[in-house]
């Protein structure tokens, strides 16, 4: 088995209240920032090529951060298919895709793999983001418990797909056993590894009670098994993979400050930092009574992202 990171964005940041403030931001400092990025993962079992998530849609514009930005994924390094090709793989080689959740930075290029079976939880399989994809398979999670997780689905020898509700109602994680280690690919159970060590939820969830249960289970599993923690939104994800670094919850890694972000010219469009939905003033949001030509700044304060229902404060300039 080989596990590879599909690197898509780098050089970003997230603020401490965003990363750690899901259950309360008291004592958290917006001036403290953690590194951010975007990468997904590939598992090559020798007989199958399995993807875990498929990045942001190619056409989504890059964000332009400002002083109010909570999370900025960074500069686009490559679109998903180009990054996959750089690793030596073509779409037709992919047999299965394991979706952690529906958000566009995880599901964005599912459309590029018509011959692969796309596994999603029953809740995510019904999501708007997956409509029109005939190759979606609703996971049944009927292969019994997996250590402290109550249910699982065996995808390939050594590869398990597990329910991990909270970030979205149908969120899932993947655990691959390779060379005596457990590689936990979790989507967005935490946005940065600092949250894992601090036992904190981020501010993004559909069900906070389930999100807490999931983080507790993940930490319990990590305490009992030599685990490499593969995150999506921090460079620690691919750095942990490259170093085969096992989590020691009692010894958090020293945070590396993010690099300074260079200012760029904005287009007038805004991108949801959670799901990747693009608000284009030229189009407006007519389904919600917002006519074409309405600048983002003039949207009602109670306007929410049409896709993930997050508020205006989760949008970044593009």
């Amino acid at each position: 088995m080989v596990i590879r990171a599909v690197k898509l964005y780098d050089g970003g940041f997230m603020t401490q209240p965003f990363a750690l403030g899901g259950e309360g931001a008291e004592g958290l400092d917006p001036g403290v920032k953690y590194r951010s990025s975007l990468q997904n993962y590939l598992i090559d079992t020798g007989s199958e090529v399995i993807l875990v998530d498929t990045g942001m849609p190619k056409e989504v514009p890059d964000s332009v951060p400002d002083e109010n930005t909570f999370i900025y994924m960074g500069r686009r390094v490559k679109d998903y298919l180009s990054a996959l090709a750089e690793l030596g793989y073509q779409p037709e080689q992919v047999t299965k895709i394991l979706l952690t959740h529906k958000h566009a930075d995880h599901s964005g290029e599912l459309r590029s793999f018509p011959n692969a079976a796309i596994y999603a939880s029953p809740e995510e399989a019904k999501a708007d983001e997956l409509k029109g994809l005939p190759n979606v398979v609703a996971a049944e999670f009927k292969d019994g418990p997996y250590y402290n997780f109550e249910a699982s689905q065996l995808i390939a020898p050594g590869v398990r797909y597990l329910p991990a509700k909270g970030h979205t109602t149908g969120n899932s994680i993947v655990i691959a056993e390779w060379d005596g280690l457990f590689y936990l690919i979790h989507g967005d159970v935490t946005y940065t590894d600092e949250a894992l060590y601090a036992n904190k939820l981020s501010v993004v969830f559909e069900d906070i009670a389930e999100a807490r249960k999931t983080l507790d289970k993940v930490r319990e599993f990590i305490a009992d098994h030599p685990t490499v923690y593969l995150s999506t939104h921090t460079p620690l994800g691919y750095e942990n993979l490259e170093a085969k670094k096992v989590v020691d919850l009692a010894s958090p890694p020293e945070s590396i400050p993010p690099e300074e972000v260079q200012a760029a010219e904005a287009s007038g469009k805004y991108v949801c930092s959670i799901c990747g939905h693009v608000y284009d003033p030229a189009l407006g949001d007519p389904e919600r009574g917002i006519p074409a030509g309405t600048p983002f700044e003039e949207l009602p304060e109670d306007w929410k992202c049409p896709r993930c229902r997050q508020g205006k404060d989760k949008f970044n300039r593009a």
Side-chain angles (χ1 to χ4, degrees):
M1 183 184 293
V2 176
I3 302 174
R4 308 286 298 277
V6 186
K7 298 178 183 178
L8 305 168
Y9 290 73
D10 216 346
F13 66 85
M14 68 185 80
T15 66
Q16 190 177 69
F18 174 90
L20 309 184
E23 293 169 299
E26 184 179 354
L28 301 180
D29 184 352
V32 174
K33 295 180 180 179
Y34 307 117
R35 293 182 297 158
S36 186
S37 59
L38 177 66
Q39 61 277 335
N40 298 140
Y41 296 93
L42 175 152
I43 303 170
D44 187 338
T45 68
S47 58
E48 289 196 86
V49 176
I50 301 170
L51 304 181
V52 182
D53 297 338
T54 61
M56 191 72 84
K58 184 176 182 177
E59 64 273 13
V60 170
D62 285 0
S63 295
V64 179
D66 60 22
E67 64 278 3
N68 298 314
T69 300
F70 290 104
I71 181 170
Y72 167 58
M73 289 189 297
R75 303 174 300 274
R76 188 189 296 265
V77 178
K78 284 199 168 50
D79 65 84
Y80 190 88
L81 291 183
S82 297
L84 193 65
E86 189 171 76
L87 294 178
Y89 297 92
Q90 297 301 317
E92 55 270 18
Q93 293 176 263
V94 176
T95 53
K96 295 171 183 171
I97 300 172
L98 308 180
L99 185 68
T100 62
H101 62 287
K102 61 193 175 186
H103 292 160
D105 51 341
H106 297 259
S107 64
E109 288 297 336
L110 291 175
R111 61 193 178 184
S112 297
F113 300 91
N115 298 323
I118 301 169
Y119 287 80
S121 70
E123 297 91 342
E124 304 296 87
K126 299 173 185 175
D128 289 345
E129 289 83 349
L130 275 64
K131 284 182 178 176
L133 295 171
N135 48 331
V136 173
V137 178
E140 297 184 339
F141 300 119
K142 290 185 176 178
D143 289 326
Y146 180 76
Y147 297 102
N148 63 313
F149 293 93
E150 292 88 355
S152 71
Q153 185 155 341
L154 184 64
I155 299 297
V159 180
R160 292 269 179 171
Y161 191 46
L162 309 155
K165 299 175 183 292
H167 178 66
T168 65
T169 54
N171 201 74
S172 302
I173 62 174
V174 177
I175 299 179
E177 299 179 34
W178 173 36
D179 238 4
L181 299 176
F182 296 82
Y183 291 79
L184 197 157
I185 308 172
H186 65 82
D188 297 344
V189 170
T190 61
Y191 269 78
T192 186
D193 290 20
E194 284 87 349
L196 171 74
Y197 286 88
N199 195 17
K200 298 286 189 179
L201 296 177
S202 84
V203 300
V204 184
F205 46 77
E206 291 184 355
D207 188 324
I208 188 170
E210 290 298 326
R212 168 44 61 191
K213 289 178 186 177
T214 288
L215 182 55
D216 288 346
K217 283 182 190 175
V218 165
R219 283 172 53 87
E220 180 185 350
F221 180 89
I222 286 171
D224 293 338
H225 302 87
T227 303
V228 181
Y229 194 65
L230 302 186
S231 297
T232 297
H233 287 293
T234 169
L236 285 164
Y238 60 76
E239 292 168 2
N240 291 342
L241 176 60
E242 290 163 4
K244 295 187 176 181
K245 179 178 174 55
V246 171
V247 174
D248 178 358
L249 291 174
S251 301
E254 184 176 350
S255 291
I256 299 172
E259 62 186 67
E260 186 175 347
V261 177
Q262 300 299 316
E265 187 174 349
S267 66
K269 297 177 182 178
Y270 277 71
V271 180
C272 179
S273 62
I274 307 307
C275 75
H277 175 77
V278 178
Y279 177 79
D280 185 346
L283 302 176
D285 185 7
E287 290 187 13
R288 289 156 192 84
I290 307 298
T294 303
F296 183 84
E297 294 79 5
E298 295 181 13
L299 291 174
E301 288 307 308
D302 60 355
W303 182 86
K304 296 184 182 301
C305 175
R307 181 179 290 158
C308 71
R309 308 303 298 161
Q310 295 290 326
K312 287 175 63 178
D313 62 339
K314 298 300 192 302
F315 277 72
N316 294 336
R317 297 182 303 162

